[in-house]
C-alpha cells in the first residue's frame, strides 16, 4: 500500500430532514405535448445538510477528504444506524439524494453518501488507481476518521460498481461495526458478460454538453435516469464545466441525435427560443461546455477486479444481506443457489433502469426499511404509514 496518494479527496454527504410534504420521487414523468419540462439543476443542499473537510491519515502523510455531516447526528444527537452509500461508476454521492430524503422519512437512521475515489468532487494524487482493494481501504479509512475506534452500527449500501466495492469492503472487514450489506443491481455473471460491450456503450454517449441543463435533458430522454427529480440533482456530480480560450472542436451544441423533442405552445416556444439564444450567446462568450468528470473507458483494467469472484465473496459475508435487482434475469448460478439456500434476501424491482435507486427511490427505500426493521437494526419512524 506504499503507493497510496497523499491527496485523497472523498466527498461524503449526509442527510437533511425530509422536506414538508415529502418528495414526488416515485412519480413518473409525463410526456405531455405543450408542457415545458424543467431540466434546471437542483441544489445538493435541498437534500443534504453540510459539507465538511476530513483529514485521513496514512503512512505517507495526510489525505484530504470531504464530508457532509448528518444533521441528525450533529443537532439531534446520534440516533439510528449509519447508512453508508456507495455510488456506481461515473456517478457521485448526489446519486443518492432523493433516496436519502425518502429513507430518512421511513426509519430512524443517519446517512453518509461518499464520492468514491476520482469521482464527484474528489481530488486524488493518483486518480487512475481504482482497484477494488484501494477503494475498499479508502472506505475503511473514512469510517475510522469519522467515528474513531468505536463506530456506530453501519449498513453499507452500494450500487453497481459501488455494490462491488461494498462487498470487497465487507469481506476485508474494513468496517468492524458492519450491520448489514445491501447490493443494488450488480451480479458477477451479468457484470462480467456486460464488460465486452461496455466500451461501445461509453463511446455512444455524447462527449460534451453545452450546459448542465443539456446534460440533465440527455440523461432523462436517453433513459439513463428515469426520474426527473433525481436527474436534476445527480447529473451535476457526473459532469463538470470546462472553459477554453478557443472553441473546442467536437463540442456539441445539442444533445445526442435521435432524441425526439416535445412540442411546445407557440408562446412558450418563442420565450424558450429567446432564452436559448441568450444562453448560447453567454456560452459563446465564455466558450465553456460540460464534459464527464470520469473517463470510465480508462478504468477498464480494473473492471474485472471489481466483479470477478463477487458472488462467492458476497455469499461468504456473515452479515445479513439484501440484493435488489432490476430484473430476475440478472441472477447468476452461485447467487441462484445461495438464494435458494436462504443465504440472502432478494427483491426484484421491475420497470426500473440500472440506476434503480434513482429511478424508484421510494421502492428501494421501502425494501431497505422493511429489511432493516425485520432484522431489528432500527425502527420505523412514528407516523410512517405502511
Amino acid at each position: 500500500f506504499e503507493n497510496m496518494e497523499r491527496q485523497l479527496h472523498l466527498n461524503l454527504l449526509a442527510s437533511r430532514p425530509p422536506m414538508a410534504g415529502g418528495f414526488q420521487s416515485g412519480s413518473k414523468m409525463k410526456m405531455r405535448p405543450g408542457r415545458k419540462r424543467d431540466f434546471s439543476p437542483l441544489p445538493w443542499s435541498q437534500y443534504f445538510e453540510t459539507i465538511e473537510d476530513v483529514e485521513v491519515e496514512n503512512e505517507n502523510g495526510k489525505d484530504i477528504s470531504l464530508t457532509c455531516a448528518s444533521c441528525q447526528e450533529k443537532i439531534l444527537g446520534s440516533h439510528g444506524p449509519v447508512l453508508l452509500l456507495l455510488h456506481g461508476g461515473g456517478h457521485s454521492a448526489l446519486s443518492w439524494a432523493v433516496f436519502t430524503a425518502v429513507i430518512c422519512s421511513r426509519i430512524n437512521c443517519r446517512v453518509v453518501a461518499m464520492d468514491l475515489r476520482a469521482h464527484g468532487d474528489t481530488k486524488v494524487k493518483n486518480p487512475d488507481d481504482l482497484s477494488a482493494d484501494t477503494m475498499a481501504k479508502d472506505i475503511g479509512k473514512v469510517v475510522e476518521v469519522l467515528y474513531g475506534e468505536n463506530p456506530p452500527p453501519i449498513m453499507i449500501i452500494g450500487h453497481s460498481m459501488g455494490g462491488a466495492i461494498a462487498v470487497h469492503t465487507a469481506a476485508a472487514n474494513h468496517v468492524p461495526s458492519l450491520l448489514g450489506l445491501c447490493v443494488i443491481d450488480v451480479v458477477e455473471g451479468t457484470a462480467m458478460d456486460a464488460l465486452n460491450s461496455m466500451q461501445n456503450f461509453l463511446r455512444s454517449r455524447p462527449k460534451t454538453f453545452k450546459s448542465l441543463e443539456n446534460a440533465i435533458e440527455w440523461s432523462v430522454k436517453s433513459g439513463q435516469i428515469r426520474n426527473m427529480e433525481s436527474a436534476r440533482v445527480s447529473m451535476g456530480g457526473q459532469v463538470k464545466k470546462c472553459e477554453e480560450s478557443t472553441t473546442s472542436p467536437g463540442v456539441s451544441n445539442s444533445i445526442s441525435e435521435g432524441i425526439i423533442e416535445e412540442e411546445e405552445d407557440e408562446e412558450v416556444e418563442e420565450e424558450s427560443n429567446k432564452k436559448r439564444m441568450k444562453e448560447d450567446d453567454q456560452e459563446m462568450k465564455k466558450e465553456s461546455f460540460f464534459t464527464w468528470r470520469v473517463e470510465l473507458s480508462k478504468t477498464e483494467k480494473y473492471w474485472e477486479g471489481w466483479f470477478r469472484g463477487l458472488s462467492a465473496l458476497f455469499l461468504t459475508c456473515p452479515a445479513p444481506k439484501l440484493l435488489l435487482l432490476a430484473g430476475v434475469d440478472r441472477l447468476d448460478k452461485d447467487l441462484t443457489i445461495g438464494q435458494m439456500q436462504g443465504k440472502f434476501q432478494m427483491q426484484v424491482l421491475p420497470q426500473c433502469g440500472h440506476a434503480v435507486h434513482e429511478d424508484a427511490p421510494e421502492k428501494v427505500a421501502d425494501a431497505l426499511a422493511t429489511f432493516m426493521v425485520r432484522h431489528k437494526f432500527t425502527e420505523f419512524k412514528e407516523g410512517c404509514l405502511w
Side-chain angles (χ1 to χ4, degrees):
F1 201 54
E2 295 177 357
N3 296 327
M4 180 70 180
E5 306 83 333
R6 273 182 271 188
Q7 293 300 316
L8 172 63
H9 189 64
L10 301 172
N11 194 26
L12 306 175
L13 297 174
S15 63
R16 254 184 110 79
M19 291 175 63
F23 294 89
Q24 299 301 314
S25 52
S27 59
K28 293 182 180 179
M29 296 174 302
K30 295 180 180 178
M31 312 287 281
R32 291 179 184 168
R35 285 182 71 105
K36 174 66 179 172
R37 292 162 71 192
D38 186 2
F39 296 106
S40 62
L42 293 171
W44 64 266
S45 55
Q46 189 169 314
Y47 304 87
F48 299 106
E49 189 62 34
T50 56
I51 296 180
E52 300 176 2
D53 285 329
V54 172
E55 289 185 345
V56 179
E57 295 279 353
N58 67 39
E59 53 270 31
N60 295 326
K62 290 181 178 179
D63 295 340
I64 305 302
S65 163
L66 272 182
T67 180
C68 190
S70 166
C71 58
Q72 284 93 339
E73 183 176 1
K74 294 287 182 179
I75 300 171
L76 304 175
S78 299
H79 187 51
V82 171
L83 308 184
L84 182 58
L85 311 180
L86 310 180
H87 61 78
H91 290 254
S92 78
L94 294 176
S95 174
W96 299 98
V98 181
F99 165 83
T100 294
V102 179
I103 194 66
C104 288
S105 72
R106 301 285 200 268
I107 56 175
N108 294 317
C109 65
R110 292 167 276 168
V111 174
V112 175
M114 289 179 58
D115 272 353
L116 295 172
R117 166 180 293 259
H119 288 71
D121 288 328
T122 63
K123 292 179 177 63
V124 293
K125 217 171 186 183
N126 183 14
D128 295 330
D129 183 7
L130 290 178
S131 67
D133 181 60
T134 297
M135 288 199 286
K137 286 178 179 176
D138 286 347
I139 292 161
K141 287 177 181 296
V142 169
V143 168
E144 185 180 357
V145 169
L146 284 178
Y147 301 110
E149 294 181 358
N150 296 303
I154 295 175
M155 175 95 184
I156 303 182
I157 303 159
H159 167 248
S160 195
M161 176 195 77
I165 302 307
V167 173
H168 285 278
T169 302
N173 198 31
H174 289 313
V175 179
S177 62
L178 184 67
L179 198 59
L181 187 62
C182 174
V183 174
I184 301 177
D185 212 41
V186 58
V187 167
E188 177 185 351
T190 49
M192 294 301 295
D193 291 343
L195 293 185
N196 293 328
S197 58
M198 186 57 65
Q199 288 288 8
N200 287 333
F201 165 74
L202 294 175
R203 279 193 291 268
S204 72
R205 303 190 304 177
K207 291 183 173 57
T208 57
F209 303 94
K210 66 179 180 181
S211 66
L212 180 51
E213 288 82 358
N214 195 221
I216 293 168
E217 184 175 5
W218 173 83
S219 73
V220 172
K221 292 187 175 181
S222 67
Q224 181 189 357
I225 302 173
R226 302 182 185 183
N227 181 311
M228 175 71 88
E229 182 186 1
S230 192
R232 290 173 64 193
V233 66
S234 72
M235 276 305 287
Q238 290 196 57
V239 297
K240 61 183 178 181
K241 189 173 186 179
C242 300
E243 292 191 15
E244 294 187 357
S245 55
T246 57
T247 303
S248 178
V251 175
S252 172
N253 285 328
S254 61
I255 52 180
S256 58
E257 295 177 7
I259 293 177
I260 301 172
E261 296 288 346
E262 297 171 58
E263 294 178 4
E264 298 174 344
D265 293 332
E266 289 183 12
E267 187 178 331
V268 177
E269 188 174 0
E270 185 178 348
E271 183 182 336
S272 178
N273 286 338
K274 285 179 182 176
K275 185 180 176 184
R276 284 173 188 158
M277 286 174 67
K278 186 177 178 182
E279 287 175 351
D280 288 344
D281 288 344
Q282 290 173 346
E283 292 291 336
M284 288 301 290
K285 287 174 186 175
K286 294 179 185 175
E287 292 175 342
S288 63
F289 59 95
F290 284 75
T291 189
W292 301 102
R293 288 178 185 257
V294 185
E295 291 189 64
L296 287 173
S297 59
K298 293 185 177 180
T299 67
E300 183 174 11
K301 63 181 177 181
Y302 296 113
W303 295 350
E304 189 168 330
W306 295 343
F307 303 119
R308 186 169 295 285
L310 189 64
S311 292
L313 212 55
F314 175 73
L315 292 170
T316 57
C317 290
K321 297 175 286 293
L322 174 63
L323 178 63
L324 299 179
L325 299 175
V328 71
D329 58 313
R330 286 160 161 78
L331 273 188
D332 59 24
K333 182 181 177 182
D334 286 348
L335 288 184
T336 300
I337 295 172
Q339 204 266 333
M340 292 172 68
Q341 294 173 338
K343 291 185 177 179
F344 63 93
Q345 184 180 326
M346 184 187 78
Q347 190 164 338
V348 177
L349 302 175
Q351 298 178 323
C352 292
H354 178 51
V356 183
H357 60 298
E358 293 206 56
D359 293 350
E362 290 184 347
K363 290 181 180 178
V364 173
D366 288 346
L368 183 67
T370 302
F371 175 83
M372 293 187 70
V373 170
R374 181 180 296 142
H375 284 278
K376 296 181 167 43
F377 294 159
T378 186
E379 307 84 32
F380 290 124
K381 282 206 167 171
E382 190 175 346
C384 183
L385 299 176
W386 290 86

